[in-house]
Amino acid sequence: MLNSTAQHSTAQHSTALAQLITKLKEIFQINQADLDFGIYRILNSRSTEINQFLEHNLPKKIRATIQDFNQETVVYNHLYTFFSRYYDNGDFISQRRYKNDTYAIPYSGEEVMLHWANKDQYYTKSGENFSNYAFHLPNGKKVQFRLIEADTAKDNRKDNDQTRLFVLAEPQIKIELDENGDEIQTDILPIEELGDKLIVHFEYKAVNKKEKQADYIDQAVTFLQKFAFQHQDFLQLFDLVPTEKDQSRTLVKKHLQDYTTKNTADYFIHKNLGKFLNQELDFYIKNEVMNLDDIQQETTFSSIEQNLNLIKTLKTIGQEIIAFLAQLEDFQKKLWLKKKFVTGCHYLITLDHLSEDLIEQTLQNPKQLEQWKALFNVDASGAIVSEFCKNQPHLVVDTSLFDAVFQAKVLSEIENLDEQTDGLLIHSDNFQALNLLQERYKEQVKCIYIDPPYNTNASEIIYKNGYKHSSWMSLLETRIMISKNLLSEQGLIAIAIDGLEFSNLEILSKEIFGKDNFINSLSVQHNPKGREKEFFADSHEYMIFISKDRNKAETNRLLLTSDELDRKYPKKENGKQYRELPLRRSGSEAQRKDRPYMYFPFLVNKETLQLNLLPEEEYKKIFVNSIFNDKYVEELKNKYENEGFYFVLPIRSNGSEGRWRWGYSSCIEGINNRYLFAKSDGNNTVIYQKDYADNTVLPKSFWFGERYDASTKGTNLLKSIIPNNKFDYPKSIYLVEDAISISASNNHLILDYFAGSGTTAHAVINLNREDNGKRKYILVEQGEYFDTVLKPRIQKVIYSEKWKDGKPEQGDKGYNGVSQIVKVLKLESYEDTLNNLELRKPVQDLADLGLSENVQNDYLLHYMLDVESKGSLLNTQDFQKPFDYQLNIATTSAGAYQPQHIDLVETFNYLIGLRVEQFDDKREKGIVSVIGKLPNGEKAFILWRDMEKIGYDELNRYLDSRSIKAGDSEFDLIYINGDHNIPTVFADNDDIVKTLKVRSIESEFLERMFG
C-alpha cells in the first residue's frame, strides 16, 4: 500500500501526464472531432494513430529512459511548459524568455531591425470567411452568417483577462461616417430575413477568458430555434447531422462550429517550424533546465548525472514531438505554397476583334443580349450583323455566357493572343494569384499600385491573440515580397495607406526593398472636409513610392490639367501658351560676381522697345582678366543713351549689381527668335522672357485639390457607373491615374493585387484613351464583389467613357469606347486544396508487416502525411483524360463543395510561363494545342490529348499535319501528355543527327506545381 507521500507523487505524475497529453491533443488539433473540413478532417482520420503515440508510445519512451518516478513527472511538466509557451490558440508565436516577462528577439547586428510577433509566418486567413459564410438548406433557402463588428483592444493591449469570441449580435443602431464625414445610421438586428435568404449577424467581441465559444454557439442555436418555429421555411436548420461525440447535433450547429472555428484558427503557417522550435528548445533547456545560475552551488556527481539524463530525455522526446508538429506545419506550408489550379477561364472581348460569323452567333445568345441590355442599355434584338459591327465596335462580349466551343473559336482567330490581351482579372486570394504568375510575369511589371486594407475599424484585419498590427504586417509582407519578383529593375511600387499603419508600412517596405531604394512618401488630401476624430479632423492619407533599384528606376513627370495649365501659362500666342518671366535672376547666386559674364546691358529702342545687344567686341571688354571695367560700362551707357536707347543692366531692387539668367549667346538667340522682349514706363525698363508652356511638372509630395476627392471622384463616380453598389470608399480615379503616370509609360504593365472595385483598370483604360497608349493591367481580387462590381465596372468603362445612373452618356467623341481583350481567371483556393485532400492508408498496416515500434513511430512522425496524401493533390494518371479533370470547388464561402472541371491547359501555361501565340482548342475532338514562347526565349508546342480518343496513330497524323517531326520543326521544345511514339532523333541526307526535345507534361506539371 502506498504511503501518503507516494500517493501524492503518483497523483502529481498522473496530473502532469494528463495535462501534457491534453495540451498536445490541442496542438495536434485532434480534439475537434466534430469538424469535418480542412486539416481537421485529415488529422481526425488518423486520430487513432496519434492518440496511440501520445497516450502510449510517448510515456513508454520516457519511462524507458528515466527510471525515477519523480524525474518522469518533471519531464512531463517541462514539456508542458515549453509547448504551452510557444503555442497560442492555433499558432506558434516567438516568445523566447530569459526571465519571467523578459523576451528576446533574433538580432544579427543590424543598425535598425524590424520585428513583429508573426514575422516568420504566412498569413493565410481569407477576409471573406469572416464576413460572408453562407450555405443552402435542402429546400433551397440560403443562410448567411455575417460579421458586423470586430471589437478590438484599445491600443492593441493584450487584455490577458479576456478572449475574443463570435457572439450573436444584440439589436443595435450602428453609426458610421461616410467619405464626407456625415453620419450614416443603420439598424442591426440579430436575424434578418430577406426573401429566400436568412442573415444571422454576429459580433467578434471581447469576453471573459473563462467563457467558451461552444456556449455562445448553444445560445445562437436556441435563439434560431425560436425563430425557425415561427418561420417554417427554415425548420431544416434543425435537421440532425450527428457525430459520434454529439448524436443530437443539428445542421445549424454544425455550420456554426465550422464558421467560428474557421475564423478563430489557422491564421498562420510557420515558414520553418522545425528549426524554430528546436532552437527554442535548446534555449529553454540551457536557461531553465540546466540551472546555469546555480552552477556554483554545491552539487554531487550523482545529481549532475541525474540532471544530464533528464536533459537528454527532455531533448529527445521534445525533438520527437517537434518532428511531428513540423511534419504537420510543413505539410500545410506545402499546400499553401502549391501553385493553384485555374478553375475557370473566360474572356471579355470587344466586337471589333470578332468575325461577322462570331458576331452572328453572339446575337443569337439570349444571355448575352440580356447582359448588354442590363450593362450598356443596348437592345440588340433583331440587329443586322454588318450594321451592328459598324455601330457597336466596343460592345463587350462575355464568353462565360457561351459554351466552350464558342470561346475556342474566338481564341483560334486571334494571333499572338497574349500580346493582344490588354487586361488580366484574377478572382483569387492575392498570394495564390501572385504565386501562379511568377514564371509568366517575372520582372515584367513596371508599376505596382495597391490600396491594401488600412486595418481601421472599417477595413480591419480580424485577428486573435491580441496581434492586430502583427497580423496585418504578415499579410502585407508576404504579398509585397512575392510581388517584388514580378517588378522590373526600373519598376516602382506605390502603396496607399492611412495614418494608423503608415509608420509600420514605411519601415516594412524599406526592409523588403532596401532603405536606399525608398523614393518618397506623399500626403494626399482625399477628404477636404475632414473626418472628425478625437483631436483632429482627418483630411489626408499617404502614398509610399519605393523602387526595385533606385539607380535604375524610371519615373515620369505629371501632366498638368487644362485648368492648371491656364493658371500657370495665362498668355497665348499663335496657339502656344506662355508666361512672362523677368530675365534678371533672383534667389541664390544672383549677383554679378557669381556669374561675371552674365552681367551686360540690353539696348532697348526708346520708341519701339526693340531689343539689341552690344557688339561682341564691346561685350568682351566689360570683364577682362577677372576684373570688372565699370568705367568702360559707364562710357557705353552714355554712348547708347545719346543714340536713343535705354541702357538696361541687371540691377537688383536693392541697387546692387545682379546678373541675367541667360548668357550673351543665349540672349542673342532669344532676341532673334523673339523669346525676349522689353517693357518700359519711361522710368523703369524690364527685360522679360516668354516661357512657353511645359505641360508636365515634377510630382510634389503633397497632392490636394478637387481632383483627389475620394467622395466625388471615387464613390460618386462608381455610383454613376454601378448604382446601389455596396463598395466602400473607392479611391479617386485621378489619384490612381497620377500614381500610374509617374511610375509607368504608355506601353507598360501595371499590377494591382488589392483591386477592390477595379479603379486601377479603369485608370489604365482612361490613360490609354488620352494618349492612345498600350498599357496593360493585371488585377487580383478575392471579394464577392469581383462579379458584382469589379468585372461589370471594367466592362462598362471599356464601352463608354461617361456614365450617369448606370447608363452610358455620349460626349464629343460619342461613347469613346476602347478596343479590349480581357482575360478572366478564377483560381482554386487554399481551402479548396485542403478539402480535396485525402489520406490513403498503406494497403497493409505497418504493425502487420512486423515493423518495430520505432519504425512505426518514425513513419508517423516524419512521413505519414506526405506518403498518404500522394496522388490526392495532383494525380497525373488523370491526365490521360485531361479535359475531364475535376476537383470539388467551394461554391459559397461556407465550403459547399461541388465537382468542377479544372482547366489544366491554362494552369500549365502559367506554370511554365508561356506567352501564348496561338491557341487551337478542339477538346470536343480530344485535342488542344498551344504555341508560344517560354521565358528563356524558346518556342514551345504544347499538346494535350484525350488518350482514349487520340492514340499513337491519330497522334502521328496530327503531328504530320502540323509538320512536327525530328530534325524538321520550328519548335525548340514539345510538351505532350501521356505515352507517345514521337521519334526524337533524325538523320538527314547528309547523315547529320538532329534531335527533337520532347518532355512529359505530367512530370513538368508535378515539378512546377510544387516547386
Side-chain angles (χ1 to χ4, degrees):
M1 184 173 180
L2 295 174
N3 59 33
S4 60
T5 302
Q7 287 178 335
H8 179 68
S9 178
T10 302
Q12 284 185 323
H13 177 275
S14 299
T15 300
L17 177 58
Q19 182 178 245
L20 173 62
I21 290 174
T22 300
K23 174 56 68 174
L24 292 178
K25 284 185 176 181
E26 177 191 349
I27 294 174
F28 288 130
Q29 301 180 341
I30 60 167
N31 60 344
Q32 305 270 12
D34 293 337
L35 300 176
D36 58 357
F37 63 87
I39 202 68
Y40 301 100
R41 178 174 57 83
I42 300 305
L43 292 176
N44 284 331
S45 72
R46 297 296 179 268
S47 60
T48 302
E49 292 88 339
I50 297 173
N51 278 320
Q52 171 72 10
F53 169 75
L54 295 177
E55 296 176 359
H56 173 72
N57 299 7
L58 192 62
K60 181 180 177 182
K61 192 160 190 173
I62 293 174
R63 290 190 199 106
T65 309
I66 292 184
Q67 306 302 321
D68 187 299
F69 197 67
N70 293 325
Q71 284 286 83
E72 188 179 335
T73 304
V74 173
V75 171
Y76 294 149
N77 285 331
H78 273 305
L79 288 172
Y80 175 80
T81 301
F82 174 75
F83 286 107
S84 296
R85 177 171 297 177
Y86 290 95
Y87 181 79
D88 191 352
N89 192 28
D91 304 316
F92 288 93
I93 308 295
S94 179
Q95 299 188 46
R96 176 182 286 191
R97 301 178 191 180
Y98 282 110
K99 295 285 184 180
N100 300 322
D101 292 330
T102 302
Y103 292 84
I105 61 173
Y107 177 63
S108 303
E110 302 92 337
E111 179 186 3
V112 176
M113 188 196 72
L114 176 63
H115 184 80
W116 62 95
N118 305 108
K119 184 174 185 179
D120 297 326
Q121 298 171 322
Y122 295 105
Y123 181 89
T124 65
K125 179 59 65 182
S126 165
E128 281 303 292
N129 281 342
F130 290 110
S131 59
N132 185 31
Y133 181 103
F135 61 96
H136 285 90
L137 298 177
N139 63 10
K141 297 287 186 180
K142 183 176 181 180
V143 180
Q144 184 179 67
F145 300 152
R146 181 174 294 175
L147 185 69
I148 62 165
E149 189 73 31
D151 184 31
T152 61
K154 184 173 176 60
D155 298 326
N156 202 25
R157 67 174 183 268
K158 292 189 177 179
D159 282 350
N160 292 324
D161 60 335
Q162 292 188 315
T163 187
R164 284 175 178 74
L165 300 175
F166 283 83
V167 178
L168 192 67
E170 296 285 342
Q172 59 185 272
I173 296 175
K174 188 172 184 178
I175 298 177
E176 296 179 305
L177 298 177
D178 64 14
E179 275 293 323
N180 297 318
D182 299 325
E183 289 187 353
I184 302 174
Q185 180 173 306
T186 308
D187 293 325
I188 303 292
L189 296 174
I191 297 179
E192 182 181 4
E193 188 177 3
L194 294 176
D196 288 341
K197 180 162 63 174
L198 181 69
I199 300 174
V200 186
H201 289 120
F202 286 87
E203 300 175 75
Y204 187 57
K205 64 186 296 185
V207 298
N208 190 289
K209 207 163 193 175
K210 295 180 181 179
E211 299 188 59
K212 303 297 181 185
Q213 183 66 70
D215 296 330
Y216 284 103
I217 288 175
D218 289 339
Q219 289 180 21
V221 169
T222 301
F223 192 93
L224 283 164
Q225 199 166 27
K226 294 177 182 177
F227 172 86
F229 282 117
Q230 297 173 11
H231 300 75
Q232 299 291 310
D233 287 344
F234 292 98
L235 276 176
Q236 289 177 333
L237 283 168
F238 295 92
D239 289 353
L240 286 180
V241 187
T243 65
E244 185 177 338
K245 181 179 176 182
D246 184 0
Q247 291 293 317
S248 63
R249 188 177 73 156
T250 59
L251 179 65
V252 69
K253 186 173 183 178
K254 173 216 178 307
H255 281 293
L256 284 168
Q257 288 172 335
D258 289 354
Y259 174 58
T260 54
T261 304
K262 280 186 176 183
N263 289 307
T264 53
D266 301 328
Y267 279 48
F268 299 95
I269 297 173
H270 204 285
K271 295 177 181 177
N272 194 338
L273 183 64
K275 179 181 178 182
F276 166 71
L277 285 180
N278 277 308
Q279 287 175 341
E280 298 308 302
L281 180 62
D282 283 344
F283 186 87
Y284 176 85
I285 289 172
K286 290 173 183 175
N287 282 272
E288 302 191 37
V289 183
M290 285 184 176
N291 296 318
L292 296 177
D293 290 346
D294 302 327
I295 199 69
Q296 293 179 343
Q297 296 181 8
E298 186 176 343
T299 56
T300 64
F301 178 78
S302 61
S303 66
I304 292 175
E305 185 179 30
Q306 189 179 45
N307 197 39
L308 288 175
N309 195 34
L310 169 67
I311 291 168
K312 180 181 178 181
T313 303
L314 181 59
K315 187 163 186 175
T316 301
I317 303 303
Q319 286 177 338
E320 285 205 355
I321 297 172
I322 289 170
F324 200 170
L325 290 172
Q327 181 193 182
L328 172 60
E329 199 78 359
D330 289 346
F331 185 67
Q332 291 185 83
K333 183 176 76 170
K334 175 183 176 181
L335 302 185
W336 173 251
L337 295 178
K338 178 189 85 73
K339 307 296 193 305
K340 300 300 181 283
F341 288 106
V342 175
T343 63
C345 173
H346 67 275
Y347 283 80
L348 309 175
I349 183 166
T350 49
L351 287 179
D352 58 343
H353 288 285
L354 303 185
S355 64
E356 286 196 9
D357 176 56
L358 286 171
I359 294 176
E360 187 169 356
Q361 293 181 50
T362 301
L363 291 171
Q364 294 171 4
N365 184 331
K367 291 181 180 179
Q368 183 62 84
L369 299 186
E370 183 180 343
Q371 189 187 77
W372 283 346
K373 182 65 177 175
L375 289 182
F376 312 116
N377 198 34
V378 171
D379 185 355
S381 56
I384 299 173
V385 173
S386 58
E387 293 182 3
F388 198 70
C389 295
K390 180 179 178 181
N391 297 330
Q392 299 285 359
H394 302 129
L395 202 59
V396 182
V397 173
D398 184 346
T399 66
S400 70
L401 305 175
F402 296 77
D403 60 24
V405 175
F406 177 83
Q407 177 165 305
K409 179 66 173 172
V410 169
L411 300 186
S412 69
E413 294 187 2
I414 300 174
E415 292 288 331
N416 293 317
L417 178 60
D418 273 15
E419 183 63 29
Q420 294 236 46
T421 299
D422 301 279
L424 174 61
L425 310 179
I426 307 179
H427 193 180
S428 164
D429 171 272
N430 46 22
F431 182 89
Q432 303 303 339
L434 293 168
N435 200 23
L436 184 63
L437 298 179
Q438 291 295 299
E439 283 295 321
R440 173 62 181 83
Y441 291 101
K442 183 180 180 181
E443 297 183 348
Q444 294 175 43
V445 175
K446 182 60 171 62
C447 166
I448 297 175
Y449 169 84
I450 56 173
D451 179 17
Y454 284 178
N455 217 7
T456 59
N457 289 337
S459 62
E460 188 162 52
I461 298 297
I462 307 300
Y463 66 101
K464 56 182 179 175
N465 306 332
Y467 301 125
K468 172 179 177 177
H469 298 288
S470 182
S471 296
W472 185 86
M473 290 182 73
S474 290
L475 167 74
L476 267 290
E477 188 263 350
T478 50
R479 284 146 181 84
I480 294 175
M481 183 68 79
I482 195 172
S483 72
K484 179 183 176 183
N485 300 328
L486 305 179
L487 204 58
S488 71
E489 288 186 329
Q490 299 80 26
L492 276 78
I493 180 170
I495 310 174
I497 196 65
D498 77 341
L500 182 65
E501 296 288 1
F502 169 71
S503 58
N504 286 333
L505 178 62
E506 185 173 21
I507 299 171
L508 178 65
S509 62
K510 287 178 180 177
E511 179 169 278
I512 294 171
F513 287 91
K515 63 181 181 180
D516 293 337
N517 291 321
F518 190 77
I519 300 296
N520 210 337
S521 57
L522 316 179
S523 296
V524 182
Q525 189 183 57
H526 72 113
N527 183 357
K529 294 181 179 179
R531 182 180 298 174
E532 290 189 11
K533 294 210 172 169
E534 188 174 0
F535 297 107
F536 295 91
D538 279 358
S539 66
H540 77 285
E541 295 176 338
Y542 301 93
M543 190 182 299
I544 288 174
F545 280 86
I546 195 160
S547 61
K548 178 82 170 281
D549 184 339
R550 189 183 179 97
N551 295 323
K552 298 177 181 178
E554 297 175 353
T555 61
N556 302 312
R557 295 166 66 90
L558 285 176
L559 286 173
L560 292 173
T561 66
S562 57
D563 289 343
E564 290 171 331
L565 194 63
D566 290 341
R567 284 196 300 270
K568 189 172 182 179
Y569 299 97
K571 294 184 175 293
K572 291 185 179 180
E573 179 181 71
N574 299 324
K576 294 181 180 179
Q577 291 182 250
Y578 69 94
R579 59 181 175 177
E580 298 175 352
L581 297 178
L583 190 62
R584 182 177 59 78
R585 182 176 177 83
S586 58
S588 62
E589 297 186 344
Q591 299 182 63
R592 180 174 74 168
K593 64 182 180 180
D594 296 320
R595 293 288 191 275
Y597 289 107
M598 290 185 179
Y599 179 81
F600 53 84
F602 275 87
L603 308 177
V604 181
N605 187 292
K606 292 182 179 179
E607 292 184 3
T608 65
L609 298 184
Q610 177 70 40
L611 287 184
N612 287 284
L613 286 181
L614 297 173
E616 188 174 1
E617 59 272 16
E618 291 183 343
Y619 160 72
K620 290 181 177 180
K621 293 179 182 179
I622 294 176
F623 185 74
V624 181
N625 297 327
S626 301
I627 298 173
F628 286 107
N629 192 341
D630 289 332
K631 182 178 179 181
Y632 179 66
V633 171
E634 189 63 28
E635 291 174 359
L636 290 174
K637 182 175 183 297
N638 292 331
K639 170 187 172 183
Y640 284 107
E641 284 185 344
N642 289 333
E643 292 180 3
F645 292 98
Y646 294 121
F647 192 83
V648 184
L649 290 165
I651 304 300
R652 304 172 74 198
S653 57
N654 62 4
S656 62
E657 288 91 354
R659 69 172 181 89
W660 305 115
R661 288 187 289 108
W662 294 4
Y664 179 82
S665 299
S666 296
C667 287
I668 290 177
E669 183 180 348
I671 291 171
N672 291 338
N673 290 295
R674 299 186 179 182
Y675 295 157
L676 299 178
F677 65 96
K679 289 184 179 181
S680 179
D681 60 6
N683 297 315
N684 187 34
T685 304
V686 180
I687 309 300
Y688 287 94
Q689 168 206 350
K690 290 181 182 177
D691 180 34
Y692 288 98
D694 176 2
N695 65 345
T696 65
V697 64
L698 194 67
K700 294 181 173 59
S701 60
F702 179 49
W703 294 6
F704 66 96
E706 183 184 352
R707 178 178 181 81
Y708 303 115
D709 183 356
S711 177
T712 58
K713 302 302 186 293
T715 302
N716 293 347
L717 175 68
L718 182 58
K719 286 180 179 177
S720 70
I721 301 170
I722 304 177
N724 304 317
N725 75 84
K726 295 183 178 180
F727 193 86
D728 293 329
Y729 314 141
K731 284 286 183 290
S732 162
I733 186 72
Y734 299 110
L735 170 70
V736 183
E737 284 184 18
D738 285 353
I740 293 171
S741 296
I742 291 169
S743 309
S745 296
N746 65 2
N747 60 345
H748 283 140
L749 176 62
I750 293 91
L751 166 66
D752 181 354
Y753 48 88
F754 286 97
S757 67
T759 305
T760 298
H762 190 169
V764 171
I765 290 168
N766 278 359
L767 291 171
N768 285 340
R769 267 197 186 98
E770 292 174 8
D771 60 11
N772 294 316
K774 288 295 294 180
R775 300 170 186 84
K776 296 186 178 186
Y777 51 89
I778 301 173
L779 267 62
V780 182
E781 178 53 55
Q782 70 171 354
E784 60 179 343
Y785 41 79
F786 182 95
D787 291 315
T788 59
V789 178
L790 185 150
K791 178 183 163 182
R793 177 181 189 176
I794 293 168
Q795 289 172 280
K796 287 189 166 197
V797 299
I798 288 171
Y799 179 70
S800 176
E801 182 177 13
K802 296 180 179 181
W803 292 82
K804 184 178 181 181
D805 299 328
K807 293 181 172 58
E809 287 193 320
Q810 297 195 40
D812 296 338
K813 299 179 180 179
Y815 290 128
N816 202 16
V818 293
S819 178
Q820 289 273 287
I821 300 176
V822 181
K823 188 177 187 179
V824 184
L825 297 181
K826 183 172 177 57
L827 303 187
E828 167 199 17
S829 71
Y830 173 57
E831 291 195 358
D832 290 334
T833 304
L834 286 172
N835 285 289
N836 279 281
L837 187 67
E838 294 180 4
L839 296 189
R840 299 182 177 91
K841 284 188 175 182
V843 175
Q844 193 169 357
D845 193 88
L846 298 181
D848 295 339
L849 291 172
L851 299 176
S852 69
E853 189 174 275
N854 284 340
V855 173
Q856 293 179 53
N857 275 349
D858 194 44
Y859 172 79
L860 179 71
L861 298 179
H862 298 92
Y863 307 114
M864 179 187 72
L865 292 176
D866 275 332
V867 171
E868 296 186 12
S869 67
K870 190 173 183 180
S872 176
L873 296 172
L874 178 65
N875 189 349
T876 54
Q877 289 298 314
D878 293 337
F879 280 34
Q880 294 187 15
K881 292 181 69 64
F883 313 126
D884 296 336
Y885 196 93
Q886 290 187 332
L887 288 177
N888 289 321
I889 300 298
T891 56
T892 69
S893 297
Y897 290 85
Q898 66 180 29
Q900 185 171 322
H901 281 94
I902 299 302
D903 197 329
L904 294 180
V905 178
E906 280 292 345
T907 305
F908 189 64
N909 289 346
Y910 282 100
L911 290 178
I912 63 175
L914 189 73
R915 295 189 184 206
V916 177
E917 294 177 352
Q918 294 179 25
F919 203 109
D920 187 15
D921 188 340
K922 293 184 174 62
R923 65 187 68 198
E924 75 279 3
K925 296 181 180 178
I927 197 161
V928 172
S929 65
V930 187
I931 295 173
K933 289 284 183 64
L934 295 169
N936 63 3
E938 289 185 323
K939 190 167 186 177
F941 181 83
I942 298 93
L943 184 63
W944 293 84
R945 87 261 201 213
D946 183 329
M947 296 180 65
E948 290 185 4
K949 295 180 179 179
I950 307 294
Y952 290 165
D953 293 339
E954 292 87 354
L955 174 62
N956 288 329
R957 283 196 295 271
Y958 180 82
L959 293 175
D960 286 341
S961 71
R962 302 296 298 261
S963 299
I964 299 173
K965 57 185 178 180
D968 186 23
S969 173
E970 62 179 300
F971 302 109
D972 301 299
L973 181 61
I974 293 176
Y975 286 105
I976 188 168
N977 69 307
D979 296 331
H980 61 84
N981 60 353
I982 303 173
T984 58
V985 180
F986 171 81
D988 63 14
N989 294 330
D990 298 322
D991 293 328
I992 298 175
V993 176
K994 298 181 179 180
T995 60
L996 182 66
K997 287 199 296 184
V998 181
R999 289 184 185 169
S1000 161
I1001 285 178
E1002 286 87 342
S1003 59
E1004 190 82 8
F1005 205 116
L1006 195 63
E1007 180 183 345
R1008 299 269 188 165
M1009 178 157 271
F1010 292 98

